[in-house]
Amino acid sequence: MKLMILDGNSIVNRAFYGVRPLNAPDGTPTNAVFGFLNILQRMLDEQKPDAVCVSFDRKEPTFRHRAYDGYKAQRKGMPEELAAQMPVLKETLDAMGIRRYELSGYEADDILGTVSVICADKGWDCVVVTGDKDSLQLITDTTTVCNVKTRMGQTETINYTPEVFREEYGFEPPLMVDLKALMGDSSDNIPGVPGVGEKTAMELVRRYGTIENIYSDLSALDIKEGVRKKLAAGEESARMSYWLATILKEVPMGFDPAENLWDKNYTEALYPLFKRLGFQKFIEKWGIQESAAAPEAREKAEMPYICVEDAVLPDVLHAVEAAECLAVTLLAGADDSLEFCDGKTVYGFDSAPERFPALLAAVFSPDKPKIGHHVKELMNALADKGLSREGFVFDTALAAYLLDANEGDFPLSRVAARWLGVDTAGTDTLLELYPVLDAKLREYGMEKLYEEIELPLCPVLSDMERAGFYVDRKALYEFGESLNGDIDRLQNSIWQHAGRKFNINSPKQLGEILFEELMLPSGRKTKTGWSTNVDVLEKLRGKHPIVDEVLEYRTLTKLKSTYADGLLKVIGEDGRIHSSFQMTVTATGRLSSTEPNLQNIPVRKRLGAEIRKMFVAGPDMVLVDADYSQIELRLLAHISGDEAMRDAFLSGEDFHTVTASRVFGVPIDEVTPTLRSRAKAVNFGIVYGISAFSLAQDIGVFPNEAKAYMDAYLDRFHGVRDYMESIKAKAKADGYVETLFRRRRYLPELKSSNFNVRSFGERVALNMPIQGTAADIIKLAMVNVDRRLKAEKLQARLILQVHDELIVECPEAEAEHVRKLLEEEMENAVQLSVPLIAEAHIGHSWAEAH
């Protein structure tokens, strides 16, 4: 039998700092509880314990505090956002039926130690789950310590058995106490021996074992004299530190592993608790049901279901014709998945709906108002079945996305839980959601954004997905083959520099070559080996020829696998790649492209241009590619109201040159390419809330010089400076920021006590109104372009959008007209205080037209 005990305070701390801020619908912070439950689920999956429990610290001083005033004295109090979640976490564990243990005067670690001993005495295995290293001293043949780390929502674990511990540390687990006695522990304010660090302490423990062995005869130790003196002077501190670091294994607590047996022993309280917290994901994943005492699903009682095959068809047709609005669900590829609801009855099919053409014509008549959930996907399915896509007046998924994009995912059940407080995902639910979501959109002033941009964009994107982008399959294959030769050449050259063959794709082996054998500087070692990520390697450019070649090798292998080989696999039978455009994914309002992602092909790199050469117009067609010029900077000028910035754009001069002239104090005709490049970096850095340190890395200057550039910029464009301060203050007061079209993004990060999290929130507050407005504008332009192409009965059609860029495929005879049309519609999508400029070009390939 196996018992798993979690170090509650340690795990919830890891979760709090490792998961972005989240809030329940009532505003309660939930990221720590959410992260804790994710870690718990992972541990349950990995460890498969028979019994589960959690230990917690208490607020009262422990026996260690009473013996040593300095114990943990430097620790800051728990952040308010985390403190508010502790009772919620304990309430959650109680509702899950998981026992928790805490005892006045003792730490959670002492409970862990005591439980591990009791388990061993009773013949149980014990797994201790913690984020701290203190518990490593508990490792035995029957006790395993699983160390957990969470960063940016990703959790990593190391399962420490005696063998794993010895391999990493080079001594036995109990000696972990001796190590801390020598080196101390700043987090717990355990002093250790002054002047003895981790490296020296590790060496002493590996060679001599316990502090008793070390202090039995200091003069006999084969160590440096300076270390000997430090040990002698710090003996009393070492012995006290040993006592402080030792986990007590005899806490006076009644504990029986068998009392903690757990097999999803959920109580009735868990379902309403998770509903209140907005944890729909866990409700669905864990199959948590509402109490049997709760009323049956009211929808079934109030909304009868009728199978069309069993109904009188004229009666169904009459109901459809009489309905003011229908709710429709249809899943592509499933003949029996069509359902529609008239507000009184849900109608469905047991067999192919195509057997009832008159009914389908009535339901999907352009004149019949309809509601759907993820309407764009619904339109694709309807087009596949030859049914009309017109008449949709509301999309409940799009509406929920606009109301809170931070939700991230919008299944109907979750939207219903959030806005109706019921756990239902029936077709009739759409009709209940419609007035609620519509009223909320109008309350937030989002009706124009929704009715003129988001909803009309659905058929536009559906057409684009179905059209696809033609690809020169032969050229793409040959490009991939040509990359093989360059990759082989680089591989051989890298091996020659290294003096031996090794796996270049292995960070461990590459790190050993760079930092141990070639002795390159700036090596940063982690538990798994040397870090060889791109940031590390970029700093080493010019230090050795191998570095540049490794970076180029990585670029080419990624091009080969992701683009050359990857794109070949997704070319359809029609010779075209059909990407999917996701409307409810990004928090900024930008569209994202998936399966495959055509928005992340490198733009400015030579090889990115090579890939674009493979995307071509279909037979007898050309491509017209238009993109906005500096749209985000123009929006910054408009939104901030900075007169100097507006004048710079209205002058017709190159904006980056004008900026360089003003920031660096030189006449326009004396601005060098270097000064323009630096001004450009500052321009875009300001838009994205870049730090002086990051700007310095981008333009190759010292941070103080970069800061001087930014200060000079904000002095010259003081309207931008005022805007930056005012938008941050407004965001903190309101809890959100908006675009010009009232797209809203909530920023719970601004209330975080964590500086890095709060700084991220401030950067988003600066950028979201600009980047989000740019996203709104390009979407509006797409709607207008598509409408005009159809109104003028042109064969031209939109086939791709990449951020600020639109691509149209058309017959060559229409190309010049379409070029002007694109520029006109893009430039006139919205009227700003500075001109919007769009530039369109014609070509037979994406590269040629870009």
Side-chain angles (χ1 to χ4, degrees):
M1 302 286 279
K2 181 195 291 187
L3 177 134
M4 181 172 78
I5 181 167
L6 287 81
D7 183 350
N9 289 78
S10 172
I11 297 301
V12 79
N13 265 283
R14 287 343 182 243
F16 176 72
Y17 289 106
V19 177
R20 68 177 178 84
L22 299 172
N23 293 84
D26 64 3
T28 302
T30 58
N31 67 318
V33 180
F34 182 84
F36 186 100
L37 294 178
N38 270 327
I39 293 171
L40 172 61
Q41 181 60 57
R42 175 166 175 170
M43 292 299 97
L44 291 170
D45 292 341
E46 289 184 4
Q47 300 295 337
K48 296 180 172 52
D50 302 286
V52 182
C53 60
V54 184
S55 68
F56 284 102
D57 292 327
R58 288 179 63 90
K59 293 182 179 179
E60 302 93 336
T62 68
F63 66 93
R64 294 182 181 86
H65 292 91
R66 288 192 287 269
Y68 174 50
D69 290 340
Y71 185 63
K72 295 188 177 181
Q74 86 294 352
R75 284 200 178 180
K76 295 181 180 178
M78 186 179 289
E80 289 184 14
E81 299 95 327
L82 177 54
Q85 298 183 63
M86 293 304 292
V88 179
L89 173 60
K90 293 178 180 181
E91 181 184 0
T92 300
L93 292 170
D94 293 345
M96 292 179 71
I98 294 176
R99 290 196 174 208
R100 51 189 177 87
Y101 297 89
E102 50 190 87
L103 189 63
S104 179
Y106 299 92
E107 295 184 61
D109 285 351
D110 300 317
I111 294 174
L112 300 177
T114 303
V115 166
S116 69
V117 169
I118 293 174
C119 283
D121 290 344
K122 292 183 176 290
W124 282 59
D125 289 330
C126 180
V127 178
V128 175
V129 179
T130 180
D132 300 330
K133 293 184 177 181
D134 300 353
S135 297
L136 295 179
Q137 61 186 275
L138 301 177
I139 297 169
T140 66
D141 290 337
T142 60
T143 299
T144 301
V145 173
C146 184
N147 192 256
V148 175
K149 288 186 177 180
T150 296
R151 187 172 184 271
M152 301 300 288
Q154 300 298 311
T155 299
E156 297 178 358
T157 61
I158 302 177
N159 230 30
Y160 281 102
T161 62
E163 294 75 24
V164 173
F165 181 89
R166 280 193 294 268
E167 184 177 348
E168 180 172 330
Y169 285 90
F171 50 80
E172 295 300 316
L175 294 177
M176 194 70 184
V177 185
D178 300 270
L179 178 68
K180 291 190 78 171
L182 294 170
M183 63 179 278
D185 184 345
S186 59
S187 65
D188 289 342
N189 206 31
I190 295 176
V193 175
V196 173
E198 181 178 8
K199 184 177 179 181
T200 301
M202 290 279 281
E203 183 63 23
L204 287 168
V205 174
R206 284 169 180 164
R207 293 176 63 187
Y208 303 109
T210 66
I211 61 169
E212 290 299 333
N213 292 341
I214 291 170
Y215 282 110
S216 63
D217 189 357
L218 273 177
S219 61
L221 301 184
D222 181 19
I223 56 177
K224 293 179 180 179
E225 194 58 35
V227 174
R228 194 187 325 275
K229 289 180 180 179
K230 290 174 183 176
L231 288 170
E235 180 174 358
E236 183 179 347
S237 179
R239 293 190 183 279
M240 181 186 67
S241 297
Y242 183 91
W243 181 81
L244 289 171
T246 301
I247 292 177
L248 188 67
K249 300 177 184 176
E250 299 174 350
V251 172
M253 57 183 289
F255 183 85
D256 183 351
E259 293 179 353
N260 297 273
L261 289 169
W262 188 80
D263 184 18
K264 297 185 177 180
N265 305 331
Y266 306 140
T267 71
E268 293 182 358
L270 188 60
Y271 182 87
L273 175 61
F274 275 9
K275 294 291 288 185
R276 177 170 67 82
L277 296 177
F279 285 175
Q280 190 66 28
K281 169 186 172 182
F282 290 120
I283 290 175
E284 296 166 1
K285 186 172 183 178
W286 294 350
I288 301 169
Q289 300 294 322
E290 195 167 5
S291 167
E296 285 293 321
R298 58 179 174 77
E299 294 80 3
K300 290 183 180 177
E302 298 175 7
M303 195 75 68
Y305 177 89
I306 293 179
C307 179
V308 171
E309 284 86 343
D310 299 331
V312 177
L313 191 58
D315 291 345
V316 180
L317 281 168
H318 177 72
V320 169
E321 291 167 359
E324 292 184 6
C325 186
L326 296 175
V328 182
T329 57
L330 174 65
L331 301 181
D335 288 337
D336 61 351
S337 64
L338 172 61
E339 283 189 355
F340 60 91
C341 178
D342 63 354
K344 301 176 181 177
T345 305
V346 177
Y347 298 90
F349 295 80
D350 281 342
S351 59
E354 286 81 359
R355 292 170 51 206
F356 303 89
L359 177 58
L360 293 181
V363 171
F364 294 106
S365 165
D367 298 326
K368 177 60 63 178
K370 289 175 286 293
I371 304 166
H373 193 75
H374 289 299
V375 162
K376 189 257 296 180
E377 285 73 17
L378 185 54
M379 287 179 169
N380 283 339
L382 293 173
D384 289 340
K385 295 176 181 294
L387 299 171
S388 171
R389 304 175 308 174
E390 297 181 44
F392 283 94
V393 297
F394 205 79
D395 182 337
T396 49
L398 267 181
Y401 164 69
L402 289 183
L403 292 172
D404 190 354
N406 287 345
E407 286 285 325
D409 190 19
F410 301 91
L412 181 55
S413 59
R414 181 177 296 177
V415 175
R418 168 77 185 272
W419 296 102
L420 299 178
V422 295
D423 187 12
T424 177
T427 304
D428 51 333
T429 307
L430 301 179
L431 289 170
E432 292 186 70
L433 281 168
Y434 179 17
V436 174
L437 298 179
D438 184 58
K440 208 67 179 176
L441 288 172
R442 296 181 188 283
E443 178 187 332
Y444 289 178
M446 290 181 174
E447 61 269 25
K448 181 176 181 180
L449 171 66
Y450 183 77
E451 294 169 359
E452 298 183 14
I453 299 179
E454 293 290 344
L455 192 62
L457 190 62
C458 291
V460 178
L461 294 176
S462 175
D463 285 340
M464 290 168 62
E465 291 179 358
R466 295 174 64 77
F469 205 143
Y470 199 80
V471 177
D472 187 334
R473 186 192 299 266
K474 181 174 181 292
L476 185 59
Y477 173 79
E478 291 174 349
F479 176 65
E481 290 301 299
S482 72
L483 288 177
N484 283 335
D486 291 335
I487 290 170
D488 289 343
R489 173 184 57 78
L490 281 168
Q491 177 178 262
N492 290 328
S493 181
I494 291 168
W495 286 346
Q496 187 173 1
H497 287 305
R500 63 180 176 88
K501 292 183 178 181
F502 69 100
N503 182 359
I504 303 171
N505 295 314
S506 165
K508 183 175 185 297
Q509 294 183 34
L510 178 60
E512 291 171 354
I513 292 291
L514 296 179
F515 303 116
E516 294 178 14
E517 298 183 21
L518 296 179
M519 302 295 289
L520 291 178
S522 304
R524 180 167 58 86
K525 201 166 189 179
T526 66
K527 280 189 176 181
T528 56
W530 294 99
S531 174
T532 60
N533 63 33
V534 66
D535 292 335
V536 171
L537 295 187
E538 283 291 347
K539 292 176 184 176
L540 293 173
R541 277 191 184 274
K543 303 289 186 184
H544 193 287
I546 196 173
V547 176
D548 294 80
E549 292 184 349
V550 167
L551 286 167
E552 187 179 359
Y553 175 87
R554 286 183 175 177
T555 299
L556 295 186
T557 52
K558 181 176 181 179
L559 276 171
K560 169 71 174 167
S561 61
T562 304
Y563 300 114
D565 296 343
L567 292 177
L568 280 172
K569 296 175 183 176
V570 293
I571 298 176
E573 294 181 1
D574 58 358
R576 307 175 79 93
I577 285 178
H578 299 267
S579 182
S580 295
F581 297 97
Q582 306 302 315
M583 301 180 70
T584 60
V585 172
T586 70
T588 61
R590 276 187 168 183
L591 295 171
S592 63
S593 164
T594 61
E595 298 176 355
N597 184 354
L598 297 183
Q599 295 184 332
N600 69 345
I601 296 175
V603 177
R604 294 178 178 83
K605 294 183 178 178
R606 176 182 58 83
L607 290 169
E610 290 295 319
I611 292 293
R612 280 177 163 76
K613 288 180 181 177
M614 316 304 163
F615 286 84
V616 297
D620 303 318
M621 307 287 273
V622 293
L623 301 176
V624 185
D625 185 328
D627 65 350
Y628 281 115
S629 171
Q630 303 166 338
I631 184 172
E632 291 186 347
L633 290 172
R634 293 172 188 272
L635 283 170
L636 177 59
H638 175 80
I639 292 173
S640 69
D642 187 282
E643 291 298 334
M645 237 184 143
R646 289 180 179 179
D647 290 345
F649 278 117
L650 292 169
S651 72
E653 296 277 358
D654 175 75
F655 181 72
H656 299 309
T657 301
V658 173
T659 302
S661 172
R662 298 192 177 189
V663 170
F664 301 118
V666 297
I668 284 182
D669 57 1
E670 294 181 19
V671 172
T672 64
T674 298
L675 289 179
R676 183 187 182 279
S677 177
R678 290 181 177 180
K680 182 177 180 180
V682 175
N683 275 324
F684 287 108
I686 293 292
V687 170
Y688 287 98
I690 198 172
S691 67
F693 179 79
S694 296
L695 177 64
Q697 289 187 314
D698 289 346
I699 62 178
V701 299
F702 290 110
N704 60 341
E705 189 175 352
K707 185 178 186 303
Y709 293 162
M710 295 176 73
D711 290 343
Y713 181 99
L714 295 174
D715 284 342
R716 301 299 185 276
F717 301 107
H718 52 81
V720 174
R721 179 193 57 215
D722 295 343
Y723 160 74
M724 291 170 68
E725 294 305 316
S726 65
I727 194 66
K728 286 190 288 187
K730 189 174 190 305
K732 288 175 182 176
D734 297 342
Y736 61 87
V737 288
E738 289 183 323
T739 69
L740 291 181
F741 291 84
R742 305 295 295 274
R743 183 184 300 278
R744 182 178 293 195
R745 179 171 179 177
Y746 290 96
L747 293 170
E749 295 90 347
L750 292 175
K751 295 182 179 179
S752 174
S753 59
N754 181 286
F755 174 79
N756 291 330
V757 173
R758 196 167 60 251
S759 297
F760 168 76
E762 291 179 351
R763 288 195 298 274
V764 172
L766 291 172
N767 178 245
M768 168 60 189
I770 297 166
Q771 190 178 102
T773 299
D776 294 339
I777 291 173
I778 193 73
K779 285 180 173 180
L780 182 57
M782 293 171 72
V783 171
N784 292 343
V785 166
D786 181 79
R787 184 180 294 131
R788 188 168 163 191
L789 292 176
K790 288 181 169 64
E792 296 185 12
K793 301 188 184 319
L794 297 170
Q795 294 183 51
R797 56 183 179 176
L798 272 167
I799 60 172
L800 186 63
Q801 183 260 11
V802 180
H803 305 317
D804 305 329
E805 175 185 7
L806 296 181
I807 301 175
V808 171
E809 184 179 49
C810 67
E812 194 159 358
E814 294 179 358
E816 187 57 34
H817 179 66
V818 169
R819 184 186 67 78
K820 293 178 181 177
L821 182 154
L822 268 175
E823 291 181 349
E824 289 173 9
E825 294 300 334
M826 291 175 71
E827 291 180 351
N828 292 296
V830 64
Q831 297 302 311
L832 304 176
S833 56
V834 296
L836 271 181
I837 303 296
E839 298 174 354
H841 303 279
I842 302 167
H844 289 278
S845 72
W846 188 359
E848 186 180 329
H850 186 64

